[in-house]
Amino acid sequence: MSLRLRELIRSVRSCKTAAEERAVIAKECATIRTAFKENDVQYRHRNVAKLLFIHMLGYPTHFGQMECLKLIAATTFPEKRIGYLGLMLMLDERQEVLMLVTNSLKNDLCHKNQYIAGLALCALGNIASAEMARDLAPEVEKLMSNSHAYVRKKAALCTIRIMKKVPELTETFYEAASRLIRDRHHGVLVGAMQLILDICLTNGPSAIAEFRSKVPDLVRIMKSLVLSGFTPDHDIGGLTDPFLQVKTLRLLRILGQGDATASDQMSDILAQVATNVEGNKNAGNAVLYECVQTIMGVESIGGLRVLAINILGRFLSNRDNNIRYVALNMLAKVVAVDTQAVQRHRSTIVDCVKDSDVSIRRRALDLVYALVNASNITTLTKELLEYLMVSDVEFKPDLTNKICALVQRFAPDKRWHIDTLIQVMDQAGGYVKDEQSRALIVLISNAPELQPYTVRRLYSVLTQSHPQRALLIVGVWCLGEYGDMLLLDGLLEDEEPVAATEASVVRLLETLLKEPMEETLIKEMLLTCTVKLSSRFPNSSPQIKAILEQYQGSISLEVQQRACEYSRLFVHEAIRPALLENMPPLNEDLTASGRANISMEGGSVDAPESPVAAATSPIPAAISPSGQVPPTQPASPQLVDLLDMNVVDEPAAPAMNAPAPAVDLLADLLGDGVAPPAPMPAAGTYPPPTSPLSAPSPADWTDISPALHVHSSALD
Amino acid sequence: MIHFVLLISRQGKVRLAKWYTQYTVKERTKTIKQVTGAVLSRGPKLCNFLEFGETKLIYKRYASLYFCVGVDQEDNELATLETVHHFVEILDRYFGNVCELDLIFNFHKAYYILDEVLLGGHLQETSKRAIHHVVTEQDALVENAKNG
């Protein structure tokens, strides 16, 4: 005897443990399978119903799929009803079994009982595959003029599914759709609006032009809804059928967009809705919200727009969070059209950024970004920075980068620009993208008057414990370039003095180098910075040399190589200062193109790797002992500024890839003119590292090899 | 359009799940998990909308049940909320003071009603009376077939 559905549910609910539940289900599934195998007709629909329950609990039920098809093919309504339900829940369009149902569907679509035709339409509308849609489209089209409203409304929505699966059929439904919007039944009208909306979305301007002639019909429908008295069937919160109103308004928006005549035709009714609909219930607000969207979306006259903006203002001050949410959402769309109107609500919007509701905060933030311009950047950035401190972790990356982008775009002056970016990096440096650090460095290098100030600020931030990554990058670069300016006088107004001496700066670098770091990039930069300071601070030169020597045995190949090469510089005392000269101002315009350049090359850089080499490129000609004048071609500026900063953690570009001029440059410098471009000596299995100075010439490998030995012995 | 309708209990149990766009079994499980996590953790006075990947999640709590609906970004959130309420009112009218237990034992009827409210992810009928009428009439058809 088969268990009743109700009993199964009860016994599953009485299970105390998951294991117990599994046992009950397994037992029941076995019984159902046997019944299916024996082709038990009497209880088939009950078994499928039980399977649906089991399916909902998350157990596999695929063995019931064929039974659904059998039920659908049966003649009675109860069997069909549960069969179609099973079809929709257990199958979807990907299953091939679904094709087998096409014929049953076709029969049921033409069934004289409206409920059976309804079941078939519902199934088709929910899970039709492209093939089924193509096969059954003619039947569905016919049903749109069925005598039962129940069938017509289902056919209209079913058609949407068919169009989605087979877009080229769309045009065949134009006529039926136009006919449907003259229907009197609200269900059919809602379906018709949706159908035309989807036709317009699928076929674009041509369909929109076609249906624009229906605007007067839509206006008439709208008018009857707004003006009609109480209708018990469709009344919600004192409004007649807000669902239909919302759909109609939405369709009007699509049809009125960019068309003055159509917009003019609907302007009266839009004004009427905007002024008469009360916003004290959700349904009323839904209609108002849609109406505002339509007013702003079509070619409305100014007065109407003012009306719409006022509604949004009212929404914004509403205590209901839902209403505020949609107001922010809508203002974000309006801001592109009418910034001035939205600016008026700026303070309310900024308050919303601090709301306790994450959905509201997100919307408000989006809006604030859109509101920022040159005149309010300082105040809004202050707000955003305050928010940055308290915001959730998930917000921070986005927020940080948006602030950086805004500052970059609207900064009123360079000092404020630098100050703000340092502040952002101080608070959320871990989230700042490398491009932003790079942009700040470019900015600083182009503002000589602010360099002393900047380096003082960065120095004081770096002396705090654990500076953030982005800040370290910028700070270390600036210390290396402008460290000597720390000792100069001349504070800007309202600036706090910084007590820095040569020794303290070197000590700072030494401490920073000792900090454990996940990536070696910062360490590499620190070494470059240290060596650069050796020429800025001649008195501290011995200490610097000692520091560098500590890292000659570093376990990181990159760090080790830099330490070794930089230590070698102390041997060539004559050229060291020239080598370590300040970078020329970096080219602001080329940062972006340089980046493009890199991405084109798949992230590898086959050009001189270092600022130093690039910056000092003319020198080799002067000191080349062999008289071989290497091409004094400065590396392309695009690469200079980029690589100079060493911000990008490029995958080590094979040294062999370095272009010939670069190789020559270095060969002359360090290899004492002996630069036969020999094949690279076997550097063992070590990947050729990127040199901080430049791609090393083959000759250089002999110089470096001791370091490699150190390295390998360290590994032993 | 509506991409899915989920009824989730306070304990995180799914009481009804209907999908109007293609989700693989894996995606369905994942979505249910995410929706449950997102909705159950929300405080009472917050708004009923949540950004949810490509879709927007509109949810409302009725007694012990959360009605959750995934819609397109550009859909009218307030109207969707009204649609959910529409569905709940029809359930209420059909069961007479509907409670979670009604939906557990008559889950198939909840689906039948939903199929009269929505089709293919779009609202199908705006009159509660009309829906009540067609559902009870279909029930009568079933009863007749049983008895006759």
Side-chain angles (χ1 to χ4, degrees), chain A residues 80-111:
Chain A
K80 278 184 188 296
R81 198 183 194 192
I82 197 85
Y84 275 114
L85 182 62
L87 183 79
M88 285 187 282
L89 292 183
M90 300 205 291
L91 275 85
D92 66 36
E93 56 178 291
R94 279 158 313 199
Q95 265 114 4
E96 300 205 343
V97 190
L98 200 59
M99 277 309 287
L100 302 175
V101 88
T102 313
N103 207 35
S104 305
L105 272 172
K106 196 170 201 155
N107 291 336
D108 286 346
L109 284 174
C110 307
H111 204 285

Side-chain angles (χ1 to χ4, degrees), chain A residues 339 343 346 368-383 410 412 416:
Chain A
T339 325
Q343 290 286 6
R346 205 175 65 214
V368 170
Y369 301 142
L371 280 182
V372 173
N373 59 29
S375 62
N376 58 22
I377 176 82
T378 40
T379 45
L380 282 184
T381 309
K382 203 164 141 258
E383 296 276 1
F410 294 114
W416 183 86

Side-chain angles (χ1 to χ4, degrees), chain A residues 263-276:
Chain A
S263 304
D264 193 46
Q265 285 170 330
M266 63 184 78
S267 66
D268 273 357
I269 190 69
L270 292 179
Q272 217 158 2
V273 173
T275 41
N276 291 347

Side-chain angles (χ1 to χ4, degrees), chain A residues 261-507:
Chain A
T261 326
S263 304
D264 193 46
Q265 285 170 330
M266 63 184 78
S267 66
D268 273 357
I269 190 69
L270 292 179
Q272 217 158 2
V273 173
T275 41
N276 291 347
V277 172
E278 282 189 46
N280 50 9
K281 293 229 173 67
N282 182 55
N285 284 323
V287 173
L288 279 177
Y289 174 43
E290 199 69 42
C291 183
V292 168
Q293 290 194 57
T294 300
I295 292 176
M296 299 312 288
V298 302
E299 314 303 309
S300 311
I301 50 163
L304 210 48
R305 282 172 184 263
V306 172
L307 205 58
I309 297 277
N310 287 345
I311 293 177
L312 289 181
R314 242 170 35 226
F315 274 17
L316 205 54
S317 52
N318 200 302
R319 289 199 10 235
D320 185 341
N321 270 347
N322 287 345
I323 309 294
R324 285 200 295 155
Y325 177 91
V326 297
L328 290 168
N329 204 11
M330 190 57 222
L331 285 171
K333 287 179 197 155
V334 173
V335 76
V337 192
D338 192 349
T339 325
Q340 221 40 49
V342 186
Q343 290 286 6
R344 241 182 292 143
H345 302 292
R346 205 175 65 214
S347 61
T348 324
I349 295 166
V350 171
D351 282 344
C352 289
V353 172
K354 296 164 197 151
D355 200 274
S356 59
D357 188 338
V358 61
S359 297
I360 302 258
R361 282 204 299 273
R362 205 181 287 270
R363 283 280 138 248
L365 266 182
D366 280 349
L367 196 50
V368 170
Y369 301 142
L371 280 182
V372 173
N373 59 29
S375 62
N376 58 22
I377 176 82
T378 40
T379 45
L380 282 184
T381 309
K382 203 164 141 258
E383 296 276 1
L384 289 176
L385 280 174
E386 273 170 25
Y387 177 59
L388 181 61
M389 282 198 275
V390 294
S391 69
D392 308 333
V393 179
E394 52 166 330
F395 269 101
K396 283 191 173 163
D398 193 35
L399 186 57
T400 322
N401 287 304
K402 286 234 168 82
I403 298 179
C404 289
L406 288 174
V407 169
Q408 189 82 10
R409 205 165 134 211
F410 294 114
D413 59 67
K414 282 187 176 172
R415 179 169 170 192
W416 183 86
H417 191 160
I418 292 173
D419 275 345
T420 314
L421 283 184
I422 290 179
Q423 210 180 335
V424 172
M425 288 175 180
D426 191 24
Q427 279 171 18
Y431 304 108
V432 175
K433 286 197 185 132
D434 283 350
E435 288 99 286
Q436 301 292 354
S437 320
R438 202 174 304 150
L440 180 55
I441 292 177
V442 173
L443 177 77
I444 295 169
S445 83
N446 280 292
E449 68 285 0
L450 285 174
Q451 279 160 2
Y453 165 72
T454 312
V455 77
R456 279 194 298 271
R457 265 214 71 175
L458 285 167
Y459 175 76
S460 65
V461 187
L462 285 186
T463 44
Q464 295 160 11
S465 57
H466 301 297
Q468 302 259 14
R469 179 179 180 277
L471 205 57
L472 260 179
I473 291 176
V474 178
V476 167
W477 192 90
C478 289
L479 266 188
E481 289 299 325
Y482 315 119
D484 47 337
M485 298 183 186
L486 271 176
L487 312 176
L488 300 179
D489 291 332
L491 294 183
L492 298 187
E493 54 179 314
D494 61 70
E495 192 196 336
E496 286 182 22
V498 182
T501 59
E502 282 191 17
S504 73
V505 177
V506 175
R507 253 201 318 277

Side-chain angles (χ1 to χ4, degrees), chain A residues 514-532:
Chain A
K514 277 189 187 133
E515 294 221 359
M517 273 173 227
E518 279 166 36
E519 44 176 346
T520 54
L521 170 76
I522 311 254
K523 219 158 229 171
E524 292 158 24
M525 292 191 66
L526 275 165
L527 285 177
T528 311
C529 168
T530 316
V531 76
K532 280 211 152 196

Side-chain angles (χ1 to χ4, degrees), chain B:
Chain B
M1 70 172 280
I2 293 173
H3 296 281
F4 57 80
V5 178
L6 296 174
L7 264 64
I8 297 171
S9 76
R10 290 266 299 145
Q11 285 76 36
K13 283 223 177 353
V14 179
R15 297 302 181 201
L16 179 146
K18 184 96 178 169
W19 308 85
Y20 293 102
T21 39
Q22 234 189 81
Y23 286 81
T24 61
V25 176
K26 222 179 189 171
E27 286 165 345
R28 288 182 183 189
T29 325
K30 195 174 148 212
T31 310
I32 290 176
K33 212 178 203 168
Q34 287 173 338
V35 170
T36 313
V39 165
L40 291 186
S41 61
R42 295 267 294 172
K45 286 247 168 80
L46 307 180
C47 76
N48 299 81
F49 318 129
L50 273 174
E51 321 274 313
F52 194 72
E54 297 285 290
T55 54
K56 194 176 279 186
L57 190 63
I58 317 277
Y59 74 95
K60 187 154 186 190
R61 183 180 162 183
Y62 290 90
S64 58
L65 272 186
Y66 285 92
F67 286 68
C68 314
V69 179
V71 296
D72 284 326
Q73 291 290 352
E74 64 272 19
D75 275 19
N76 184 324
E77 297 88 351
L78 299 176
T80 310
L81 215 49
E82 204 57 47
T83 308
V84 170
H85 190 69
H86 187 56
F87 177 44
V88 176
E89 284 198 319
I90 295 162
L91 286 175
D92 199 60
R93 189 184 287 217
Y94 181 83
F95 288 105
N97 282 331
V98 66
C99 65
E100 193 182 337
L101 218 55
D102 288 325
L103 300 185
I104 294 173
F105 281 99
N106 299 291
F107 71 93
H108 51 302
K109 296 205 168 152
Y111 280 108
Y112 292 146
I113 294 174
L114 184 61
D115 279 339
E116 297 295 341
V117 178
L118 299 175
L119 200 162
H122 300 290
L123 183 71
Q124 176 187 163
E125 175 60 66
T126 61
S127 157
K128 299 182 210 0
R129 196 187 54 82
I131 294 176
H132 186 72
H133 175 74
V134 293
V135 176
T136 45
E137 221 168 65
Q138 291 179 68
D139 285 352
L141 272 181
V142 174
E143 285 304 311
N144 285 344
K146 254 192 212 163
N147 301 333

Side-chain angles (χ1 to χ4, degrees), chain A residues 175-210:
Chain A
E175 200 201 315
S178 319
R179 209 171 46 238
L180 283 180
I181 53 165
R182 286 195 296 274
D183 211 290
R184 294 177 62 86
H185 189 275
H186 283 218
V188 179
L189 281 176
V190 167
M193 301 291 172
Q194 190 63 49
L195 175 58
I196 298 177
L197 265 171
D198 274 276
I199 289 179
C200 291
L201 292 180
T202 321
N203 273 11
S206 70
I208 294 174
E210 172 85 21

